[in-house]
Amino acid sequence: GGGGGGGGGSSDLFDMLSGRGRQQRQPQGMRKGQNVVHQLTVSLEEIYMGKTRKLRMRREVIESGSMSTCTECGGKGVNIRVVRMGPMIQQVQEGCRACDGQGSQYQSKQVQEVMEVVVPKGAPDGYKLTFHEKADEIAAGIPGDVIFVLQESAHPEFKRKGADLYVKRSISLVEALCGFRMELTHLDGRKLLIKTGPGQVIAPVNYDPFKGEEAVEWETHQGMDCPDLETIAKADTDDVEKLKQVISKGQLRGKGVGAFRLSGGKASFYRATAEEVHTSMKPSKGTTLYTLADPAKSAAQRMMFAVKDEGMPVFKSPMEQGNLFLILDIVFPDHLDAAAMASLKAALPPALHASSVGDDDENYDVVELVKLDPVHSFKATAVDSSNDATQEDEREAAGGGVQCAQQ
């Protein structure tokens, strides 16, 4: 019985509250009517707090006492028709037109019913709420189900990922360095005052939680190899991005590859843990080794500021809650005067790059930074090589198929 996502039996609390848990077992061989599916748009506020909606629905029901056996087919639902084809006589079975193949004749009427749809706290987008046997009644069978599919509407301020909430805000460089106090109205109307801790500094974070599948991060080691590790496959290509795709989404996905090396235009794949890879690395001339990044290091780069336990209720465990993350965009000033720069230098840690070379040193070409669009720069100098026959021949000669090592 019960709702979506493979939903539980009649013991499911949400099903019992809405009356959807009283599912009767379908008798073996009994025909069931068609299900009726409705999309039900719900706001993030309704999912956060839970919501009961009363919806008026119309359905066909069979009038009491009107059911009778079809006189045309004798209740079989089919008729036998004799067809003569030249010297041959053939019997053809076809559905009874009088009863539409149901074997019974009856009178039906439309009735209006009110269904109480309980939207559980924290329900995921696409969750199905099923009302068993509440569709149109049929003769010699049981009604189909009425299914409501929750469709979460976009919120102008909050974004959701599982039980976590995300809010995007811009802060100034002063706020990033010296702290801030930010007001926020939550989904249930509560007012939050979010503040940084004493001495807490906000640094830019490049991680995008809504980018999709988590990207696999790799580290590059020039002149290194792991000759003692097990080689499970080889490839006649040095296209690094394609080799990474083979590991994350292709033939070698889930095979435990922890590193691959390039040498002489060919690749070898090693099956090993990150720890085994790093302990077995040795210098190797003319070889480049690519290793999976340390998970702890990757996690450190994803760290974001958040308010604990202020996210969405956890589905089917509403006493638990996710977290509320802040996606902070630091707005830097366009220009600083000399006095402000001097004050900042005095207050901040020393520069990481320092040079004793003067602008008039004849051994150096002095250049200054300017802002440029890298996409525009690339397109301005891109060369169309789509008709380059030589390159095509080289690509065909390089191959690129992955050959698994013989066991």
Side-chain angles (χ1 to χ4, degrees), residues 341-362:
M341 292 177 64
S343 299
L344 282 173
K345 286 181 179 179
L348 297 175
L352 298 178
H353 299 276
S355 175
S356 58
V357 177
D359 288 359
D360 56 353
D361 193 314
E362 61 183 16

Side-chain angles (χ1 to χ4, degrees), residues 187-207:
L187 293 169
D188 58 356
R190 288 181 299 121
K191 305 287 186 179
L192 300 183
L193 175 60
I194 303 172
K195 60 181 184 178
T196 52
Q200 207 168 48
V201 175
I202 310 293
V205 178
N206 293 324
Y207 173 67

Side-chain angles (χ1 to χ4, degrees), residues 9-45:
S10 60
S11 60
D12 190 311
L13 174 62
F14 301 115
D15 289 347
M16 289 189 288
L17 286 175
S18 63
R20 295 181 290 109
R22 298 186 293 273
Q23 179 186 13
Q24 297 179 352
R25 185 178 298 274
Q26 180 178 340
Q28 189 172 3
M30 181 167 284
R31 192 163 63 96
K32 184 174 182 178
Q34 287 189 335
N35 293 338
V36 178
V37 180
H38 298 281
Q39 299 289 330
L40 182 62
T41 302
V42 289
S43 67
L44 202 55
E45 287 88 350

Side-chain angles (χ1 to χ4, degrees), residues 72-143:
E72 292 291 326
C73 64
K76 296 178 181 179
V78 294
N79 290 319
I80 305 298
R81 185 164 58 92
V82 178
V83 179
R84 180 181 292 276
M85 300 179 65
M88 300 178 61
I89 297 177
Q90 186 177 7
Q91 288 186 332
V92 178
Q93 180 176 290
E94 60 184 9
C96 178
R97 297 180 180 179
C99 65
D100 198 23
Q102 298 188 55
S104 302
Q105 293 176 319
Y106 56 87
Q107 297 295 322
S108 66
K109 62 180 179 180
Q110 271 203 348
V111 297
Q112 183 173 267
E113 296 184 0
V114 177
M115 294 184 178
E116 287 197 355
V117 181
V118 178
V119 179
K121 290 184 178 182
D125 187 31
Y127 182 67
K128 295 179 181 179
L129 299 161
T130 302
F131 290 77
H132 299 283
E133 303 176 17
K134 287 296 184 179
D136 293 341
E137 292 183 350
I138 61 173
I142 59 176

